[in-house]
Amino acid sequence: MSVKALMIRLSAALLLGVGGAQAVTLAGYAELPADTFAPGPASGAWRDGLRGQARFQGQPVQGFSGVQFAPDGTYLFLSDNGYGAKNNSADYLLRLYRLTLTPKTAPTGTGKVEVGAFIQLRDPERRVPWAIVNEASPERLLTGADFDPEGFVVAPDGTLWVGDEFGPYLLHFSADGVLLDAPMPTPNLPGLPTLTGRPPLVIAHRGSSGTRPEHTLEAYRVAIEAGADFIEPDLVVTKDGVLVARHEPVMAVLDGSGKVTEATTDVATRPEFAGRVKTKNLDGQDVTGYWIEDFTLAELKTLRAVERLPALRGRTFDGQFEVPTLSEIIALIRDTETRTGRRVGIYPETKHPTFMTAQAGVNTSQLVIDTLKKEGFTDPARVFIQSFETGNLRDLHATIMPAAGVKLPLVQLLGGQTGAPYDLTARKDPRRNTDLTTPEGLRDIATYASGIGPSKGWIIDGKGQTTDFVTRAHAAGLLVHPYTFRNEPTFLPAQYANNPEAEMRQAILAGVDGLFTDFPATGAKVVAEYAAPEVRSPQHPAFTQGASSGAATLGSSGGFEGLTLSPDGKTLHALLEKTVAGDAPGQLRLHAIDLATRRWTLTGRYPLDAPGNAIGDITPVNASELIVIERDGGSGDAARTKRLYRLSLTDRNADGTLKKTLLADLLNIADPQGLAPSTTGGVFRFPYVTIENVIVLDATTVLVANDNNYPGTGGRGAAVKDTNEFIWLKLDAPLTLAPGVGRR
Ligand code: G3P
Ligand code: CA
């Protein structure tokens, strides 16, 4: 190597500037002109779903999105879906082209790409269960409006597996391109860290209380129809011993001047009840107002609910709805189930048990069980009973439920970090909430309860960081159902930028098993992202050909850009290009598919450098390591990130994502020989927006190529059509290759 070349390589190595990165040198270069066509029908007639004049005579041999070795030293390259989008590509035929690449390896040589035969992907055996573009023809040639192929492998049996991104699907073809099986959908393998692995429950907090006055049949009805799994009545008792739904026994609070400061009924406007105002000590505080336990059910039924937070939620529904009994709420559940098929559960909270016993002389826990039994609503899959106090839950567990012959899951509610259960305070027990949440405290709760219902601050701290609370509660075998998720900005910590879904997602990723929300429609929407059986893009046929019951959970062009085969030929590795809705931003799901059993598992998550980046391709190094292309959306001078990473399939970062190590910066490749026409100052840049082909040739050489998005421009100038460039990169340190990896 000349001194000049050595200097260029050293400076390139310094420019890489990332620990562990290798300096890479351009060892070979070849180029396929943009306007290269193969035989076939004229194409390019479609624009935004409308058919016009064909722009091209024949089929373009471009847009490569995958590469594998072919016999005789040639390569197979997969052509992408064509003209940029599904509705532009109905006349673009999906093919694999055999290319003979002759790199330029010395300043005086030439790089050459010869296009050979192609394999036409097709479905003559009618494996695709929906109408394809060439539905009626016998050959049923597949087009870029049917699938968007982004990666492929040649299996040991010679068949081809192709990763698509319209489904996204995996497609299985014979060696000569005949579809062998129905497209294989992408299972939603969320790997949710809930206690059961199932998606979390949506618990309608006081009903759909964000949109209707809380604790009314209307609030519960709206909640059920919005998709809640459970509806939550807080329960207090009337003078004649009936459980009704109110958050507090006091239904209108007065200040010292007699002004109403908070109300959930219009009782303060009723002159007939003016004499009912009383001051009582509620859990250690004197409160003046109208108390439910001083009203008979008949009196209570003359009142109407009003909005508790009118400044925030308005008064549209004031004066319309009664205070419901627990029995009426159960009747509503049954009625709604009959009408809509929605089968929900009930999540009653015994409010202020110590106060209720002292003031009303009623054990509301006993009354809840009696009422549930009377109404025949004792399925443990459809009831949770919750309380902030501990003694009544212990009683329910130890005596009340056994005596009644029912066994329902109990949930210990937990107030803020500085608080304590009132029954403990009342009997001078010094334990506080922090004592209840030690490992011993949580194990103690698990002796009588199935779950814990903490305020949100236990799960996500004041700095927006996820705590270890869920992990610790799960370790004790406890479900975790935090409260209260609300949509209004005033309740949302600043880090969520007015996006309540983001807060719910963080809690779900923390592993919560359910969440109390005033807005069950929002909760149901977010949870559905995790509950969907399949990952689907907006181009999935369920959406484009009607009859859909779900929403897309993957952005457009986010499918299997990464598809490769393990060195032993037994496992497909399939990496999504974009983040599935609900996953942590910037993390991509990497799946393993056992070719013998067709079983999918989640290997782990690939961490992008930035959430807006994407991956371009993957290829194996050995059994525990892949190479991944990561790129940003820039091209030409605007390109900032075009990189090769080594990705470990076994080592993980602290956040659980798979560990990656920079292998090469494709914007900083030493080209001491000046092999590439674009090389400047001895440095070659590969600034294409999509770089979608990588394969290991030997321990120190990898081949990389772009997808030119024909007839796109921008990589080498705004007015220059992007070509297909093929670059051979020499690594400074050898890769540890498994047998079978590299050109044999
Ligand atoms: O029961 C969960 C949650 O409702 C506890 O808070 O005060 O709204 O009943 P609260
Ligand atoms: Ca409650």
Side-chain angles (χ1 to χ4, degrees), residues 636-678:
D637 291 342
R640 295 287 175 274
T641 304
K642 310 289 175 187
R643 291 177 163 186
L644 301 184
Y645 279 101
R646 285 189 299 130
L647 179 71
S648 172
L649 301 178
T650 51
D651 298 343
R652 288 171 197 272
N653 299 305
D655 65 357
T657 56
L658 298 169
K659 270 202 171 147
K660 66 180 189 180
T661 314
L662 186 62
L663 180 64
D665 181 350
L666 301 180
L667 297 177
N668 193 357
I669 297 166
D671 182 11
Q673 302 188 85
L675 298 178
S678 62

Side-chain angles (χ1 to χ4, degrees), residues 394 397-398 410 440-450 476 478:
R394 289 183 193 275
H397 173 75
L410 306 177
E440 303 73 39
L442 291 167
R443 280 198 295 275
D444 180 43
I445 290 172
T447 63
Y448 60 88
S450 303
L478 291 167

Side-chain angles (χ1 to χ4, degrees), residues 44 82 115 158 247 260 329 341 355 364 386 401 437 508 511 552-553 592 601 696 706:
V115 180
H247 184 256
V260 175
I329 296 167
F355 172 88
T364 47
Q386 47 165 337
M401 290 200 294
T437 55
I508 290 170
T553 54
T601 51
V696 173
N706 63 308

Side-chain angles (χ1 to χ4, degrees), residues 205-206 215 232-234 247 347 349 351 386 388 413 516:
H205 182 251
R206 316 184 195 183
H215 292 313
E232 187 223 17
D234 294 316
H247 184 256
Y347 207 124
E349 178 184 348
K351 276 292 178 193
Q386 47 165 337
F388 278 106
L413 295 176
F516 285 89

Side-chain angles (χ1 to χ4, degrees), residues 42 50 104 113 144 190 231 256 292 300 308 313 325 344 364-365 372 409 411 441 451 495 505 579 602 617 672 705:
L50 297 175
K104 176 182 177 182
V113 179
I231 55 173
I292 299 255
L300 203 59
R308 182 176 65 90
R313 295 173 176 174
T325 65
V344 305
T364 47
S365 299
L372 291 173
V411 172
Q495 69 264 24
R505 290 192 186 105
T579 302
L602 198 64
D617 198 11

Side-chain angles (χ1 to χ4, degrees), residues 236-245 292 296-297 300 324-327 362 367 371:
V236 294
V237 69
T238 64
K239 188 174 181 180
D240 43 351
V242 181
L243 287 173
V244 295
I292 299 255
T296 64
L297 180 63
L300 203 59
T325 65
L326 176 57
S327 295
V362 175
L367 199 49
T371 308

Side-chain angles (χ1 to χ4, degrees), residues 279-588:
T279 299
K280 301 187 186 185
N281 189 275
L282 180 63
D283 295 358
Q285 287 200 322
D286 283 344
V287 179
T288 300
Y290 299 84
W291 298 81
I292 299 255
E293 65 272 16
D294 296 335
F295 288 68
T296 64
L297 180 63
E299 288 172 332
L300 203 59
K301 283 291 186 182
T302 68
L303 304 179
R304 291 294 175 266
V306 297
E307 173 54 54
R308 182 176 65 90
L309 302 171
L312 195 62
R313 295 173 176 174
R315 291 201 174 279
T316 307
F317 298 100
D318 278 12
Q320 298 186 34
F321 310 118
E322 297 178 5
V323 174
T325 65
L326 176 57
S327 295
E328 288 169 343
I329 296 167
I330 293 170
L332 172 83
I333 290 174
R334 290 218 165 93
D335 177 58
T336 312
E337 189 172 332
T338 305
R339 282 190 302 106
T340 68
R342 292 270 309 128
R343 183 178 160 85
V344 305
I346 193 166
Y347 207 124
E349 178 184 348
T350 55
K351 276 292 178 193
H352 307 286
T354 299
F355 172 88
M356 286 293 163
T357 308
Q359 288 289 329
V362 175
N363 181 331
T364 47
S365 299
Q366 180 69 58
L367 199 49
V368 169
I369 296 300
D370 292 347
T371 308
L372 291 173
K373 264 197 94 170
K374 182 167 87 83
E375 300 298 342
F377 205 86
T378 55
D379 178 353
R382 297 182 76 180
V383 182
F384 285 97
I385 299 175
Q386 47 165 337
S387 180
F388 278 106
E389 296 192 6
T390 62
N392 66 315
L393 290 181
R394 289 183 193 275
D395 290 346
L396 275 161
H397 173 75
T399 57
I400 298 173
M401 290 200 294
V406 299
K407 194 169 181 189
L408 300 172
L410 306 177
V411 172
Q412 178 66 66
L413 295 176
L414 191 70
Q417 314 259 341
T418 57
Y422 184 68
D423 63 320
L424 298 187
T425 304
R427 64 170 193 257
K428 308 268 189 284
D429 185 322
R431 283 178 294 163
R432 308 196 64 76
N433 290 341
T434 44
D435 299 307
L436 269 61
T437 55
T438 62
E440 303 73 39
L442 291 167
R443 280 198 295 275
D444 180 43
I445 290 172
T447 63
Y448 60 88
S450 303
I452 188 162
S455 60
K456 288 184 303 187
W458 290 93
I459 310 291
I460 301 167
D461 68 19
K463 293 181 183 149
Q465 299 299 310
T466 298
T467 71
D468 64 356
F469 182 90
V470 177
T471 306
R472 293 192 298 105
H474 282 174
L478 291 167
L479 298 163
V480 182
H481 295 167
Y483 64 90
T484 302
F485 292 82
R486 297 180 165 113
N487 285 11
E488 290 107 341
T490 185
F491 294 116
L492 268 177
Q495 69 264 24
Y496 301 113
N498 293 343
N499 180 0
E501 296 178 13
E503 184 188 36
M504 291 179 178
R505 290 192 186 105
Q506 185 174 353
I508 290 170
L509 292 174
V512 304
D513 305 281
L515 37 88
F516 285 89
T517 173
D518 289 0
F519 294 84
T522 306
K525 174 177 178 287
V526 173
V527 169
E529 294 168 359
Y530 299 89
E534 291 176 12
V535 172
R536 292 177 171 180
S537 88
Q539 284 75 40
H540 189 285
F543 305 127
T544 56
Q545 303 207 356
S548 160
S549 60
T553 54
L554 187 67
S556 292
S557 192
F560 289 122
E561 197 69 64
L563 187 75
T564 197
L565 190 63
S566 60
D568 65 7
K570 293 181 176 172
T571 306
L572 287 174
H573 298 291
L575 178 61
L576 291 173
E577 184 182 357
K578 286 186 179 168
T579 302
V580 176
D583 285 1
Q587 294 186 11
L588 307 180

